Amino acid sequence: MKRDYLLQFKSTLTQERKNELLKFCHNLGIKFHDLSLLDLALTHRSYSNENKAYKSKNNERLEFLGDSVLGLATAAFLYGDMENNAEGDLAKIKSNVVSEQTLAPIAVEKMHLDKLLVLGKGEEMTGGRQKKAILADAVEAVFGALYLDSGYKSAEKLVDMLIVPEIRKVQTNTGHKDYKTILQEYYQKKCRKTPVYELLRTSGPDCDKTFEVQVKLGNTIYGPVKGKSKKSAEQEAAKAACMVLEIN
C-alpha cells in the first residue's frame, strides 16, 4: 500500500536536480529511495497552480502528514527527557519548538531549503524563499516524505537531530518565546479565561497574503498586527499584549 502511494508521485528529475537533492540528503545524513518524493516535498502550491501538468502535485499533503510526525517525535523525546515535569511543561516546550518561528530558521540555517524550493513565478517574485510560512511548511513536508520513503524511525532521527537543539535552547530560556502560550497561561491564571484571537482581514494575492489579527482579553483589545500567516500574526498579537502587560 505504501509503495502504491509513492508511485502516484513519480516524476522525471533532471540530473542537476537529482544532484541537488542528493547533496541535501548527504548534508543531513539521510537517504531517500525515491528522490521524486523529496522533490514533491519541496514543491510549493504556487508552482502547481501555475503549471497545469502538476495540478495538485505540491507539498501540502506531505506537510499535513509531516506535522503529525514532527509532533509525535517531539512529544516522545520530551516525555523521556523530562521525566519529572508536568504535562503543562512538556506542552509549552513542544508548542514552542514546532512553531513557525522555530522551523523557518531551521529551514534556512540547517537545511538550506530556501535554495531548493520549487516556486511559481509570482511567489518567486514576491520573496517566497524568505517567507516563514513557506519555509516551515517545507520542513514538515520533508519529515512527511521521509516517513513515507523510509519509515518512522528515519523520520524521527531527523526530527531529533534538528529539534532537540531547539528544545535545549527553550529549556535554558535562550530560544524563541511562544507568546501565545505565555499570554494564555497568564490570562487563565488571572481570569480563568482564554484569549480570543480575531482575524480582521486578509489582503494581497494568494501568493503573498497578509493577515491582520487582534487579540482580546475581556474587553481589552491588543493590536491589530500583521503577519504573513495567521499563526505568525497571532504570535505577534500575543507578543504585543505581553509587552503592554509586561509579562514574559
Side-chain angles (χ1 to χ4, degrees):
M1 182 174 179
K2 178 180 170 184
R3 178 51 51 186
D4 290 341
Y5 181 87
L6 296 180
L7 287 173
Q8 296 178 36
F9 301 110
K10 286 293 183 185
S11 62
T12 301
L13 300 176
T14 65
Q15 190 58 50
E16 181 181 4
R17 182 61 172 174
K18 286 182 181 179
N19 291 339
E20 289 177 342
L21 297 178
L22 287 170
K23 182 178 179 181
F24 167 80
C25 291
H26 175 76
N27 290 340
L28 289 177
I30 60 176
K31 181 179 180 180
F32 265 85
H33 300 93
D34 182 1
L35 285 175
S36 65
L37 189 58
L38 174 57
D39 187 56
L40 182 68
L42 301 173
T43 302
H44 187 250
R45 71 164 180 260
S46 60
Y47 184 82
S48 61
N49 288 343
E50 292 181 12
N51 295 271
K52 292 182 179 179
Y54 279 78
K55 224 171 181 181
S56 60
K57 292 183 179 179
N58 56 58
N59 67 2
E60 289 186 337
R61 285 169 56 84
L62 287 174
E63 181 264 324
F64 166 79
L65 179 61
D67 176 69
S68 294
V69 174
L70 169 63
L72 176 58
T74 302
F77 176 84
L78 288 169
Y79 183 85
D81 187 65
M82 302 176 68
E83 294 180 350
N84 298 319
N85 290 74
E87 178 271 342
D89 297 332
L90 276 60
K92 182 189 296 186
I93 293 179
K94 177 175 176 287
S95 175
N96 191 310
V97 299
V98 303
S99 70
E100 184 179 294
Q101 280 185 301
T102 298
L103 295 179
I106 287 175
V108 176
E109 297 166 12
K110 296 184 179 180
M111 302 175 79
H112 309 294
L113 292 184
D114 52 321
K115 298 179 176 65
L116 295 172
L117 290 170
V118 180
L119 305 173
K121 292 180 180 178
E123 190 64 68
E124 187 78 67
M125 292 176 64
T126 55
R129 293 184 187 279
Q130 286 76 48
K131 292 180 181 177
K132 289 183 178 180
I134 291 177
L135 291 165
D137 287 350
V139 173
E140 292 180 334
V142 170
F143 293 149
L146 186 58
Y147 164 75
L148 286 177
D149 182 86
S150 302
Y152 176 73
K153 284 299 181 182
S154 294
E156 182 185 43
K157 184 177 179 181
L158 179 61
V159 171
D160 286 349
M161 183 182 78
L162 296 170
I163 298 299
V164 170
E166 302 303 321
I167 290 175
R168 297 300 184 221
K169 290 178 185 177
V170 178
Q171 289 172 331
T172 57
N173 201 30
T174 59
H176 295 287
K177 291 185 177 180
D178 181 359
Y179 287 101
K180 285 186 67 175
T181 298
I182 293 171
L183 184 63
Q184 180 167 315
E185 290 181 347
Y186 164 82
Y187 195 49
Q188 283 182 330
K189 185 176 181 180
K190 183 178 181 180
C191 302
R192 298 194 177 185
K193 296 180 180 179
T194 58
V196 177
Y197 294 87
E198 296 180 343
L199 177 62
L200 301 180
R201 63 184 61 86
T202 59
S203 58
D206 287 342
C207 63
D208 190 26
K209 279 190 176 297
T210 296
F211 297 79
E212 191 169 344
V213 170
Q214 66 183 21
V215 61
K216 295 177 67 176
L217 303 185
N219 295 320
T220 306
I221 296 174
Y222 299 90
V225 298
K226 296 179 180 180
K228 284 302 180 180
S229 71
K230 187 179 177 183
K231 286 183 180 179
S232 64
E234 288 178 349
Q235 276 287 346
E236 289 302 316
K239 181 178 179 180
C242 287
M243 295 299 103
V244 173
L245 295 168
E246 296 185 341
I247 56 176
N248 54 47

